[in-house]
Amino acid sequence: MLTDLVVLGIVILAGLVLASHRVTTSRAWRATVTPLASIIGSGFLVIGPILQTAYGSWSPLVMIGLCAVAYLFGAAVRTNIATLDADDRRGSIVRGLETAGGWALAGAYVISVAYYLNLFGAFGVSLTAADDPVSARLLTSAVLVLILLVGWTRGFGALEQLEQVFVSVKLAIILGLIAGLVVFNGERAGDDALSFTAPGLSGWSALTLAFGLVVTIQGFETSRYLGDRYDARTRILTMRRAQGIATLIYVVYIGLLAFAFTPEELPFGETAIVNLMEIVSPILPLLLVAAALSAQFSAAVADTGGSGGLFVELSGRRISLRQAYAGLVGVGLVLTWTTDLFNIIAYASRAFAAYYAIQAAIAAVGRWQAGSRGLAGLFALLAMLGAAMALFGAPAEG
């Protein structure tokens, strides 16, 4: 009962704060919330059980490592904002890398839409009698077709206006979840019932799985593409802030999960977090499903619009917006019916890792040309790490 009250209280309080006039009209917060919502969106729903199953009670260290790597990739993107977006004089090498990066990001968006909507389908049926893979795929397919019809006939302007509402709901529920876990861990500690779970993976398998989880901490790069609304300084500061907040939330969340459950209580699956949180509080599953559905749908709409625009631009308008949407939905349907969510996560992670490798390479070239040899070397090493992640990222397996 205490946990339920704490969860509801925090969700309501956080919702009121996020919906307040001061927050919703804050320019700095709006610039922060776009990357923040992407970073702790879909990944938050799946990464906890995956890390617990693979790394056990060492999972907080893995989460810290993922966030640290993400911050370094973010530093490369921030460097490019400061140098390229503030000064548009670009050499042929940088222009070529920028084009390659655009194609890599467009491809990553295509896969990420399939990722978001397969998660939408899994959570959409999770609390119903039709909780099975076929029903989840049917729901995913229906939403993919709906997005195609809306984009084809009316565009996404009206749907995109709901994004800030969805973001506020999601963040409030996540804070409520963390508060519930704090109370739950406190009760277990009082009963001397905290658990240490041994890692399920080690060595190369453990490393390649971490490579395959890049998509769960991506999203900070969206600040790079907000230049029509915010200046370079604002985007750099708010991206750094978003990554800091996301790191704090992720590390606290994974840290609380790491010792809360015994191995027998740890399920594995797309919606494993729902089953876990039912142990914490009976109201959390419903709240998590609500957060999942709103978050996945808004993210899918945003990435569909973003990828469509990128394909039109990169193709020199040889590909129309409608053709881009149709191709994206076609790929999404193929992925939905030929593979599972964990493979899609790995595919998306590898695509985003390729994009980050290119961003790091651009930063390395820029710093080399500016005479900063040390930073150029660091970004070159980061580009090689991104390439390794793109080549070797592996899916989670139960």
Side-chain angles (χ1 to χ4, degrees):
M1 184 65 178
L2 173 62
T3 306
D4 297 345
L5 292 174
V6 169
V7 170
L8 280 176
I10 293 296
V11 169
I12 293 170
L13 179 61
L16 290 173
V17 171
L18 292 169
S20 68
H21 182 266
R22 183 174 182 179
V23 172
T24 56
T25 58
S26 168
R27 184 174 175 80
W29 174 246
R30 288 200 303 271
T32 302
V33 80
T34 298
L36 177 62
S38 296
I39 300 168
I40 59 171
S42 306
F44 194 89
L45 296 167
V46 296
I47 196 169
I50 291 175
L51 290 181
Q52 279 291 89
T53 301
Y55 305 105
S57 295
W58 294 101
S59 55
L61 294 178
V62 177
M63 190 72 252
I64 290 171
L66 282 170
C67 290
V69 170
Y71 192 85
L72 289 174
F73 282 127
V77 175
R78 288 190 289 275
T79 296
N80 295 335
I81 291 174
T83 57
L84 297 179
D85 293 14
D87 182 359
D88 201 42
R89 293 172 296 179
R90 308 179 187 189
S92 58
I93 295 175
V94 171
R95 285 198 302 271
L97 287 171
E98 282 277 273
T99 300
W103 283 109
L105 184 60
Y109 277 158
V110 169
I111 304 172
S112 68
V113 170
Y115 160 47
Y116 296 142
L117 292 183
N118 273 268
L119 204 54
F120 180 100
F123 275 85
V125 302
S126 62
L127 297 181
T128 72
D131 185 11
D132 61 78
V134 173
S135 298
R137 285 170 172 160
L138 286 171
L139 179 56
T140 296
S141 301
V143 177
L144 277 165
V145 172
L146 173 64
I147 284 179
L148 174 60
L149 291 175
V150 172
W152 190 282
T153 59
R154 305 188 63 174
F156 295 122
L159 293 176
E160 287 170 346
Q161 292 172 8
L162 296 173
E163 182 177 6
Q164 185 144 354
V165 175
F166 288 149
V167 167
S168 297
V169 169
K170 177 176 64 178
L171 289 176
I173 291 173
I174 285 172
L175 291 175
L177 165 62
I178 290 175
L181 281 171
V182 168
V183 175
F184 184 76
N185 274 262
E187 292 173 346
R188 288 226 162 171
D191 296 334
D192 198 24
L194 293 178
S195 173
F196 182 87
T197 306
L201 293 178
S202 61
W204 180 247
S205 297
L207 182 62
T208 55
L209 173 59
F211 286 175
L213 294 175
V214 171
V215 73
T216 61
I217 41 83
Q218 64 81 213
F220 51 86
E221 74 285 343
T222 55
S223 294
R224 173 78 194 275
Y225 304 98
L226 298 176
D228 57 334
R229 285 182 272 173
Y230 308 103
D231 59 36
R233 181 175 179 276
T234 298
R235 285 179 288 148
I236 289 169
L237 289 175
T238 53
M239 188 209 291
R240 189 181 290 121
R241 181 186 302 156
Q243 287 197 284
I245 295 170
T247 297
L248 179 63
I249 289 174
Y250 263 130
V251 172
V252 170
Y253 166 57
I254 297 301
L256 290 169
L257 280 183
F259 304 100
F261 303 100
T262 65
E264 293 75 24
E265 291 172 322
L266 289 171
F268 184 84
E270 295 94 336
T271 59
I273 191 66
V274 171
N275 297 327
L276 276 178
M277 291 306 103
E278 191 171 13
I279 301 172
V280 176
S281 168
I283 65 171
L284 274 174
L286 188 59
L287 290 175
L288 283 174
V289 169
L293 297 183
S294 62
Q296 301 336 296
F297 186 76
S298 62
V301 167
D303 279 10
T304 299
S307 63
L310 273 172
F311 278 117
V312 171
E313 179 184 337
L314 292 168
S315 68
R317 300 196 171 276
R318 287 185 290 272
I319 298 174
S320 70
L321 204 54
R322 287 181 171 182
Q323 289 171 334
Y325 293 157
L328 181 148
V329 169
V331 171
L333 289 170
V334 169
L335 288 172
T336 296
W337 289 98
T338 59
T339 189
D340 61 35
L341 177 66
F342 296 110
N343 276 296
I344 296 173
I345 289 173
Y347 296 149
S349 292
R350 294 170 76 169
F352 275 108
Y355 168 74
Y356 294 144
I358 293 169
Q359 287 295 311
I362 293 170
V365 172
R367 292 299 83 202
W368 182 270
Q369 292 174 341
S372 300
R373 299 295 191 256
L375 276 177
L378 174 63
F379 287 133
L381 289 173
L382 197 60
M384 288 187 278
L385 175 60
M389 289 177 162
L391 289 171
F392 300 114
E397 297 179 357

